[in-house]
Amino acid sequence: MPKIEISKLETRIGSPNYPPAFKPACAGRHKTALGNAAGLTQFGVNLTRLEPGAATSIRHWHENEDEFVYVLAGECVLIEDDGESILKVGDGAGWKANVPNGHCIVNRSKADALLLEVGTRAPSERAHYPGSDLKLERDGTTVRVLHLNGEPY
């Protein structure tokens, strides 16, 4: 496999799967899929840049996917069900699948933050968003974004 030239990869801004009411939280999130560029299929690797005020997601947890985040540059706030903590360069955090600990990372500083995100690519998944009228279901390539009562957005 040839080296990956990160500067030539596509970067997604925001969160394409969120309904409009939830999009502002991630408007300043720039995500580059490094794992896709390397042809990885069992886990994803993303280089994520958070502008000041941006979040990685809204608070969530996954039934089937493990997640890990490592801070490469800047400073962020990790928000979990039991509180908040500061993440600085060299800090990491991880979440085991099917442990209902809603989490997200927010950049409350005045400078960009850079994260390396790694996660399982489970063929089917359910993501829960504590405190929000939102859930996500994926079976294969079909993604459903739903209200808590099961109605589609």
Side-chain angles (χ1 to χ4, degrees):
M1 177 66 157
K3 75 175 186 174
I4 298 168
E5 294 186 45
I6 295 172
S7 63
K8 294 183 179 181
L9 297 178
E10 179 183 348
T11 297
R12 281 190 342 210
I13 300 173
S15 182
N17 290 326
Y18 284 167
F22 298 101
K23 286 187 182 287
C26 299
R29 181 186 80 179
H30 303 256
K31 186 175 282 198
T32 305
L34 304 179
N36 290 352
L40 302 180
T41 58
Q42 296 180 8
F43 61 94
V45 180
N46 297 309
L47 183 63
T48 300
R49 180 171 61 87
L50 295 178
E51 295 175 13
T56 54
S57 63
I58 57 176
R59 206 163 47 86
H60 71 287
W61 62 274
H62 294 274
E63 288 185 14
N64 298 317
E65 296 184 348
D66 288 346
E67 294 179 279
F68 180 81
V69 175
Y70 182 80
V71 181
L72 299 169
E75 180 178 298
C76 308
V77 177
L78 168 61
I79 302 170
E80 295 181 291
D81 286 350
D82 63 352
E84 299 184 0
S85 55
I86 302 293
L87 295 177
K88 296 182 179 185
V89 173
D91 290 341
W95 302 273
K96 186 169 173 41
N98 209 31
V99 175
N101 178 13
H103 59 274
C104 69
I105 297 172
V106 177
N107 182 359
R108 292 184 182 156
S109 76
K110 295 182 180 181
D112 286 357
L114 192 61
L115 311 172
L116 188 65
E117 301 174 322
V118 180
T120 311
R121 288 187 175 181
S124 65
E125 177 58 285
R126 285 190 176 79
H128 302 269
Y129 298 84
S132 299
D133 181 24
L134 178 64
K135 66 180 176 177
L136 183 138
E137 296 178 351
R138 185 183 68 244
D139 293 312
T141 58
T142 302
V143 176
R144 290 178 300 284
V145 181
L146 308 166
H147 292 274
L148 291 177
N149 66 8
E151 291 181 29
Y153 269 92

